[in-house]
Amino acid sequence: MLDFSNADFDVNILQDPVESPVIELTFPLPTDHETYVELDGNEKVANTWALFQNFVHFFTGIDWDHIYKNNEYRYSINKYSPEFNKKSEEYMRNRLEHTDEKLDELVESLVTKEIQLNLIPGKDFHKRFKEVKKFMVDYYMRENAKNLPQFTSRGHLRIFYITIMGIMRKMFPNGVWCNREQLSKLYKQYLKDPMSIIFLPNHQSHIDYIILHLIAIRFQISTPTVIAGDNLNVAVFGGILKSLGAIFIKRSFNNELYTERNLANYIEFTLLNKIHFEVFIEGTRSRDGKLLLPKYGILKTLTNIYLKQREEEENNEFDLLMQPLSITYERIYEADGYLNELMGKDKKQESVTTIFKNGITHFFSPAQSYNHEKLESHSITYNKGSYDNSTKHLHGKIFVKLGNFFKLSEFIEDDLKNTNVPLDLIPGSKVNLKKLGFKILHEINRASYLPEVSIIGSSLNTYYNLNKSTRFPISSLIPTMRLLMDAFQREETAANNKTNMQHLSNLSNNSDEDLIQVVKEQVPQFFRDIKVNLITNEIIIDDSMELLYYKNLTVHIIIHKSLASFILLSIPNEMRSANTIHKMFYIFTGFLKNEFLFDYDYNPEHQLSNILESLIELNKISKDYKIIDYQYLNCFSEVVKPFLESYSLCIYNIHEIITTFNEKNGIIDFKQLLIDDKGIDFPHTKSLLKLIQSKQKSKKLVHIESTNKQYLLSCLYYLNNLQLIDIIKNKARTKAYVVITNGKDLLFVYKFLRGLLNGDDTITNISVGYMIDIIDKNFDRNFELAPADSKVIASIADVKLRSRL
């Protein structure tokens, strides 16, 4: 078996977790002080489990005392103590009862409203104020007891560590891999000026919560508090998570007037105590492998706390160390459930409890690592090269890679210095949160690792879409694989991702025979519906949807080149000018704005002018943008088509479904009826998506992924932004409905896209101009277009992005 493992992942945190719980850093941690975080109340960790510790050591040989020995107190504040919990509770009670002027303002406004409504006489103001204030204090103290961390003891943490490590080693026998040098560099920075590290990972699995805790324990880092959804706050297990630092919050605060402020008060308490903090700014798990757009709620809280400490409290030393990090799975634990969700099935309420219920099952069964030789031997002997993965637990390695960290003060000061007029401000914030969110996610993307299976999966996806073949020799896949690897390597070199550069170079330098062997080894490990015959060396694709996740692990690298390729292939020869290409690029970065991180992208390789120059240098197009290598451009064009096909399907079907419904029921003002809540059974967004998916099942789509739920939702959101449809909620806010607000322009967009996807010669400069008008009138994207014949035209998208910065 070939080994392409990358030396940048030199530590498997699941290896010897009990025998050697402390992983040495690249430098010795200083020991000349008892503590390096001078804060009031930072007490030594009490050894309250001595008897149990001796018992465990005697019967198991586990050196209990070495697990999480110095992570608290010496290098951070000791939070695993009754004293700290009491300090936390008193802080929150004091904020509620005495020091949070916002709560007093809120109570005053409520009581004033009661007086205005003649519910109480004005003379009872003070009495009623006390009653409402007491109710609010009692309510939020109960909520805090239910949702905020209660750090029990280091003994509990050690039990969690030993138990979870046992389960994780059974579930993921190939390991969780990270880099010692990166974590050492982060620790060095922290010791220079101790402050809260804000861990900012991507979010693809419930396992994400656990991984960072295990890394922290092994590398002597204090465990972070973690923002978690309240769906995980279930009996018994919720208490365990709270003892490890979980902060449970609702999916939405639903305009609750004080809940967000109460949460901010607790986060401020943790940051003032220099406790580390973990938040997934995507807000929920990505189901399809791509990063989701950032959510700004917690970022707003963090920046407001920073500004309050610096400007109001004059705490000039206060700062936060922002640490983006990428978690990459060779196979997601929830992969089968995600595919079902994307294809329209109702979401199963899977949670950490479900995962570890399954994990405990694995705990009591032998650990199984993939053995290609055994599979090949068994297949040849009994099954003529075939095998069955339908019921197997498929697993792989997990890779954790840190991006470049930065201080929040550096971001804010740099942003203020370089921005004359504040742009993209979220209500309630003085900081450009959109720029901060995109900076974090761009860094996660830049740092993300490309395992072999992602390269193979994206190659299979491209080859399948181009050739419409469900069975083909592996050898025919290799040219596509090499073409994509070359493109990935160019882009990763520009992004300075040395890990991927080296990894791709190693892969590319192998012979075709070696690459065929890699495919034969990888496919049986990670796919259920994509198979390889180990005798005939053929690929068999039973369901191409399984390729979606792996394609999307790589798509951010080449999306700009793919868009350019699609545009060059789609527009007629007589229109293939620099001006038209840039206009089209501008249009389609708009269409895909909910799927990709186009804003605040500082990578020069992603500028259209540089992409076109690169294609000219590679002899793929001529200097006047005529196509030389159709096959090359077609390969990248296929990446974009499913996204645009989703728009085509979405627009056609919602127009047909809603128009037919209105005509059948004699409805003229659909929107007003919804607002009035007349009780008519209108199709809502969920049922609408299911209708679209079911209508396409009988049709043989070239891109089956174009009907997945995530893509269709993105289409609805963008069409809503363009004011072609309106997504509105009923009064109970239980369902969202789609109303067509501009049918004429909606159908124009449909015909425009269909013409491009079908290769019709119906696209004209007039239609391109009208398409830009549809976008500009709603997005205020107004600036002068460059002259049509200019050879050094600046990309419209590039100009737009930089004009906003």
Side-chain angles (χ1 to χ4, degrees):
M1 180 176 177
L2 296 175
D3 181 15
F4 291 114
S5 60
N6 197 295
D8 280 354
F9 296 100
D10 56 357
V11 173
N12 173 14
I13 64 166
L14 303 188
Q15 184 177 343
D16 301 328
V18 176
E19 301 85 345
S20 304
V22 175
I23 296 173
E24 296 299 328
L25 299 163
T26 58
F27 68 99
L29 286 170
T31 56
D32 52 332
H33 293 90
E34 278 199 342
T35 180
Y36 291 83
V37 179
E38 301 291 346
L39 285 172
D40 290 340
N42 191 11
E43 300 179 358
K44 283 188 176 181
V45 180
N47 192 10
T48 56
W49 289 56
L51 185 63
F52 182 77
Q53 172 183 319
N54 293 335
F55 175 84
V56 170
H57 184 71
F58 180 80
F59 283 99
T60 67
I62 296 173
D63 195 348
W64 172 277
D65 190 50
H66 278 79
I67 299 172
Y68 205 72
K69 184 174 184 178
N70 293 317
N71 307 48
E72 304 283 324
Y73 178 64
R74 172 166 279 177
Y75 302 112
S76 67
I77 192 169
N78 171 26
K79 57 185 180 290
Y80 286 94
S81 68
E83 292 76 17
F84 184 82
N85 288 324
K86 185 179 179 182
K87 178 181 176 182
S88 163
E89 184 179 344
E90 287 176 351
Y91 177 89
M92 293 301 289
R93 181 177 288 279
N94 188 50
R95 292 293 283 153
L96 287 165
E97 291 181 340
H98 304 296
T99 62
D100 193 348
E101 70 284 355
K102 293 295 182 184
L103 181 56
D104 286 346
E105 291 173 9
L106 176 59
V107 174
E108 182 180 341
S109 68
L110 291 172
V111 176
T112 301
K113 196 71 174 175
E114 288 183 330
I115 293 171
Q116 291 171 345
L117 293 170
N118 290 323
L119 298 176
I120 61 170
K123 65 183 178 61
D124 289 345
F125 175 85
H126 293 293
K127 177 186 174 184
R128 182 59 177 161
F129 182 94
K130 289 180 181 178
E131 289 174 349
V132 175
K133 178 74 179 283
K134 183 179 185 305
F135 174 84
M136 295 281 278
V137 170
D138 291 344
Y139 173 80
Y140 278 102
M141 286 303 293
R142 289 194 302 271
E143 286 294 293
N144 291 344
K146 184 171 70 176
N147 296 319
L148 298 183
Q150 288 290 317
F151 298 98
T152 48
S153 72
R154 193 168 55 169
H156 281 115
L157 180 72
R158 286 166 167 169
I159 289 174
F160 158 82
Y161 172 79
I162 292 170
T163 305
I164 297 304
M165 275 298 189
I167 294 173
M168 288 285 285
R169 293 182 77 187
K170 296 285 185 176
M171 292 174 67
F172 302 99
N174 294 328
V176 176
W177 295 83
C178 57
N179 179 263
R180 188 193 314 266
E181 178 62 40
Q182 287 188 336
L183 286 154
S184 300
K185 183 180 177 183
L186 175 63
Y187 216 137
K188 270 187 179 179
Q189 178 63 36
Y190 168 76
L191 288 173
K192 284 180 185 176
D193 182 13
M195 65 183 69
S196 295
I197 301 172
I198 312 300
F199 291 102
L200 298 151
N202 59 316
H203 196 15
Q204 295 191 335
S205 169
H206 281 307
I207 302 296
D208 300 338
Y209 295 102
I210 298 153
I211 288 172
L212 200 54
H213 261 65
L214 297 181
I215 288 174
I217 292 170
R218 296 217 64 185
F219 280 93
Q220 303 183 71
I221 299 170
S222 176
T223 55
T225 52
V226 185
I227 294 292
D230 63 352
N231 61 306
L232 301 179
N233 195 5
V234 294
V236 181
F237 202 77
I240 294 172
L241 292 180
K242 285 200 302 176
S243 74
L244 299 170
I247 303 171
F248 294 114
I249 66 170
K250 298 177 181 179
R251 290 285 181 189
S252 169
F253 295 136
N254 287 323
N255 298 318
E256 294 178 22
L257 297 177
Y258 188 72
T259 301
E260 185 176 0
R261 174 76 174 199
N262 182 66
L263 172 64
N265 285 338
Y266 182 76
I267 293 174
E268 184 172 27
F269 169 78
T270 64
L271 301 181
L272 287 171
N273 284 282
K274 303 186 179 183
I275 293 170
H276 305 321
F277 186 74
E278 179 182 3
V279 61
F280 303 95
I281 67 167
E282 294 169 273
T284 187
R285 292 169 295 158
S286 169
R287 266 60 172 178
D288 67 357
K290 299 191 314 302
L291 289 181
L292 303 175
L293 298 186
K295 304 293 189 296
Y296 302 108
I298 298 299
L299 288 182
K300 182 177 77 171
T301 298
L302 294 174
T303 54
N304 285 351
I305 290 169
Y306 169 86
L307 292 174
K308 176 189 171 187
Q309 287 298 315
R310 286 290 186 104
E311 296 175 0
E312 297 177 26
E313 305 295 334
E314 296 184 354
N315 183 1
N316 294 325
E317 302 302 315
F318 183 85
D319 214 337
L320 303 174
L321 189 61
M322 313 294 278
Q323 177 59 76
L325 65 143
S326 168
I327 304 175
T328 303
Y329 296 78
E330 287 186 315
R331 183 174 173 90
I332 292 282
Y333 182 87
E334 301 96 327
D336 298 325
Y338 286 175
L339 282 176
N340 289 334
E341 277 186 56
L342 289 172
M343 294 316 293
K345 293 184 181 178
D346 289 335
K347 174 185 174 183
K348 290 186 178 179
Q349 289 301 316
E350 188 177 36
S351 67
V352 177
T353 49
T354 315
I355 288 175
F356 278 98
K357 180 181 176 182
N358 295 334
I360 290 169
T361 304
H362 292 295
F363 185 75
F364 292 105
S365 61
Q368 294 182 352
S369 290
Y370 173 78
N371 187 319
H372 184 268
E373 288 77 16
K374 182 179 178 181
L375 174 62
E376 192 164 13
S377 171
H378 179 274
S379 301
I380 292 171
T381 306
Y382 298 105
N383 297 315
K384 298 182 180 179
S386 64
Y387 55 89
D388 183 8
N389 275 349
S390 60
T391 59
K392 287 183 181 177
H393 171 59
L394 303 178
H395 50 68
K397 299 185 188 74
I398 302 172
F399 301 96
V400 181
K401 195 159 184 288
L402 305 190
N404 294 323
F405 53 72
F406 59 95
K407 291 182 180 179
L408 184 57
S409 60
E410 296 169 347
F411 171 82
I412 292 177
E413 289 164 12
D414 182 65
D415 189 47
L416 291 173
K417 185 170 57 180
N418 293 311
T419 306
N420 296 323
V421 181
L423 298 168
D424 288 328
L425 287 186
I426 306 297
S429 176
K430 299 177 183 177
V431 178
N432 188 338
L433 296 180
K434 183 174 181 181
K435 185 176 180 181
L436 177 59
F438 273 76
K439 175 183 175 70
I440 292 163
L441 292 182
H442 277 304
E443 184 57 25
I444 292 172
N445 261 344
R446 190 199 65 79
S448 63
Y449 178 61
L450 296 181
E452 288 95 335
V453 65
S454 68
I455 297 165
I456 292 167
S458 56
S459 302
L460 283 167
N461 181 272
T462 301
Y463 184 90
Y464 171 76
N465 286 336
L466 283 171
N467 297 281
K468 320 297 186 287
S469 176
T470 58
R471 191 179 188 109
F472 50 88
I474 301 174
S475 57
S476 64
L477 175 70
I478 301 304
T480 303
M481 192 171 164
R482 287 196 181 280
L483 184 150
L484 289 177
M485 285 194 297
D486 178 68
F488 295 154
Q489 192 165 357
R490 287 173 179 273
E491 296 294 333
E492 293 298 76
T493 300
N496 198 30
N497 187 330
K498 294 179 181 177
T499 305
N500 286 341
M501 288 160 55
Q502 185 61 49
H503 183 49
L504 288 161
S505 177
N506 290 343
L507 272 174
S508 299
N509 289 336
N510 280 273
S511 66
D512 287 1
E513 289 73 22
D514 284 342
L515 290 178
I516 289 171
Q517 186 65 19
V518 174
V519 174
K520 288 178 66 176
E521 292 167 353
Q522 294 280 306
V523 171
Q525 289 189 67
F526 304 117
F527 292 101
R528 293 198 196 284
D529 300 317
I530 315 297
K531 300 184 178 70
V532 57
N533 187 297
L534 299 170
I535 295 176
T536 63
N537 285 354
E538 285 182 300
I539 296 287
I540 304 101
I541 297 180
D542 292 334
D543 186 350
S544 64
M545 268 300 291
E546 196 175 15
L547 298 169
L548 177 64
Y549 171 76
Y550 297 103
K551 165 197 168 178
N552 283 340
L553 286 183
T554 65
V555 69
H556 65 277
I557 301 173
I558 55 171
I559 184 59
H560 299 81
K561 176 179 273 191
S562 298
L563 267 176
S565 299
F566 173 77
I567 291 164
L568 287 164
L569 287 171
S570 300
I571 56 180
N573 281 331
E574 62 274 13
M575 288 179 59
R576 202 172 283 127
S577 67
N579 198 5
T580 303
I581 294 167
H582 284 76
K583 287 180 182 178
M584 294 285 281
F585 194 79
Y586 174 64
I587 290 168
F588 286 116
T589 51
F591 273 107
L592 302 186
K593 71 189 293 289
N594 290 321
E595 289 288 347
F596 296 99
L597 306 173
F598 290 129
D599 287 355
Y600 300 106
D601 186 351
Y602 298 100
N603 186 343
E605 295 302 309
H606 293 164
Q607 295 179 24
L608 180 57
S609 48
N610 290 337
I611 293 170
L612 294 174
E613 283 212 14
S614 173
L615 290 173
I616 292 169
E617 288 175 10
L618 292 170
N619 202 33
K620 306 304 177 185
I621 61 174
S622 64
K623 289 184 178 181
D624 55 355
Y625 308 114
K626 298 299 186 289
I627 297 170
I628 296 172
D629 191 338
Y630 279 89
Q631 186 176 2
Y632 182 89
L633 295 182
N634 214 20
C635 211
F636 292 101
S637 177
E638 276 301 320
V639 171
V640 173
K641 286 181 181 178
F643 296 100
L644 300 180
E645 196 171 79
S646 289
Y647 272 100
S648 175
L649 294 170
C650 187
I651 294 171
Y652 177 82
N653 282 284
I654 64 174
H655 190 274
E656 181 183 57
I657 292 167
I658 293 173
T659 302
T660 302
F661 185 89
N662 289 353
E663 290 173 354
K664 184 178 178 181
N665 293 279
I667 296 171
I668 299 173
D669 195 346
F670 187 57
K671 186 172 182 178
Q672 189 58 47
L673 282 171
L674 289 177
I675 293 170
D676 293 343
D677 229 357
K678 293 295 185 182
I680 299 175
D681 190 20
F682 295 105
H684 51 83
T685 50
K686 187 176 180 180
S687 62
L688 195 62
L689 293 178
K690 284 191 173 182
L691 277 170
I692 293 171
Q693 289 176 319
S694 64
K695 283 166 71 71
Q696 301 309 133
K697 276 184 181 177
S698 60
K699 300 176 183 178
K700 291 185 178 180
L701 293 173
V702 175
H703 307 98
I704 188 172
E705 68 185 80
S706 63
T707 59
N708 88 70
K709 180 181 174 183
Q710 180 57 51
Y711 290 7
L712 292 172
L713 274 175
S714 292
C715 295
L716 288 180
Y717 292 148
Y718 188 63
L719 295 172
N720 180 73
N721 287 341
L722 291 182
Q723 300 174 27
L724 304 179
I725 65 170
D726 197 2
I727 300 174
I728 59 176
K729 290 193 174 182
N730 60 358
K731 287 183 178 178
R733 302 186 68 79
T734 55
K735 291 181 180 177
Y737 301 92
V738 175
V739 180
I740 297 173
T741 54
N742 188 337
K744 174 175 168 286
D745 283 357
L746 187 67
L747 287 178
F748 174 83
V749 173
Y750 169 74
K751 291 174 182 176
F752 184 82
L753 290 172
R754 282 308 331 158
L756 290 169
L757 288 166
N758 292 336
D760 299 340
D761 288 335
T762 56
I763 304 301
T764 64
N765 284 317
I766 294 174
S767 62
V768 172
Y770 190 73
M771 192 70 242
I772 289 177
D773 285 342
I774 290 174
I775 295 170
D776 277 350
K777 70 182 179 185
N778 298 301
F779 280 96
D780 192 28
R781 308 215 270 187
N782 298 313
F783 45 86
E784 291 297 320
L785 300 181
D789 296 324
S790 172
K791 299 239 177 153
V792 286
I793 181 172
S795 163
I796 293 177
D798 299 340
V799 172
K800 175 60 184 172
L801 295 181
R802 275 141 191 81
S803 70
R804 299 170 67 248
L805 303 183

